[in-house]
Amino acid sequence: MTNELRISSPADILSFVPHTLGFAPRESFVFITMRGNMLGATLGVDAPTGTNTAGFARAMADYLALDTVANAAVLAVYTDQPAADGTPRPFNEHIEAIVETLDASGVPLKDAWLVTSEHWKNLLCDDLRCCPIESLDSITDGHLNAEMMVRGGAVISVGTKERLQLGFVRTKLPTRNSPRCPSHIT
């Protein structure tokens, strides 16, 4: 058995997150750098509470820049907060600042997802015809989560010193500006 894991969908990446962090995130932003078609470093931070969106985005870009081989990133936002009035998503201003800042830094945001306690969906697409709301079962019942369990992985509670040992993960994702869904943020 190799350390290489195959990822074929966003649900697979979302099932990978708790295994790589060692806990299931809540009210968090989780960034994963990309190295071509491989996942790189993982950064989990508390969801922002301030209004300094540019400062938050710059700090995230600076952390992600520590992976000097990264050429893109993906983001999972774990929250049950609703979207503010007149905005399409929770943390809308933060997400817009992150997209702009990462693009400018040369590590563009390839894709992003919103994960709530009830469902998950693409965070950059508001068109439910091409980016439907998905069941959490697609994360927990997916092939990658099953493979992680077979390899001995388990979600580890916060505060334990143990961490899962994982190799790099190969992935194939559609690009953010995929013709499949033209309403992604550009």
Side-chain angles (χ1 to χ4, degrees):
M1 180 184 302
T2 69
N3 275 341
E4 188 173 286
L5 300 169
R6 297 276 177 204
I7 290 182
S8 59
S9 70
D12 286 340
I13 290 179
L14 295 174
S15 71
F16 177 73
V17 168
H19 291 282
T20 192
L21 290 178
F23 61 92
R26 292 191 179 108
E27 298 305 321
S28 300
F29 279 38
V30 178
F31 295 86
I32 304 175
T33 60
M34 302 287 300
R35 299 168 174 186
N37 68 344
M38 294 186 350
L39 298 180
T42 303
L43 170 66
V45 298
D46 290 341
T49 56
T51 57
N52 183 359
T53 58
F56 178 79
R58 182 73 254 152
M60 297 304 99
D62 289 347
Y63 282 122
L64 295 176
L66 295 173
D67 182 351
T68 59
V69 186
N71 60 2
V74 294
L75 168 64
V77 174
Y78 292 82
T79 187
D80 279 323
Q81 291 188 28
D85 289 340
T87 65
R89 64 193 61 83
F91 303 104
N92 188 63
E93 291 78 18
H94 288 86
I95 301 302
E96 294 289 337
I98 288 166
V99 168
E100 183 178 313
T101 303
L102 290 181
D103 280 349
S105 73
V107 182
L109 191 64
K110 190 170 186 171
D111 215 341
W113 307 281
L114 171 67
V115 183
T116 73
S117 61
E118 298 177 3
H119 64 270
W120 71 274
K121 67 179 281 314
N122 189 292
L123 189 61
L124 304 177
C125 174
D126 301 317
D127 186 344
L128 295 178
R129 292 172 294 168
C130 62
C131 302
I133 294 173
E134 303 278 351
S135 165
L136 294 177
D137 291 343
S138 65
I139 297 171
T140 57
D141 295 347
H143 84 275
L144 183 80
N145 196 49
E147 185 172 343
M148 296 298 293
M149 293 301 183
V150 166
R151 291 180 180 211
V155 176
I156 302 168
S157 62
V158 178
T160 13
K161 295 188 191 249
E162 296 176 85
R163 291 287 181 244
L164 300 173
Q165 298 299 314
L166 302 171
F168 289 108
V169 180
R170 294 195 183 281
T171 182
K172 188 172 190 177
L173 292 175
T175 61
R176 182 168 37 116
N177 297 322
S178 156
R180 177 180 70 82
C181 188
S183 60
H184 284 171
I185 294 173
T186 58

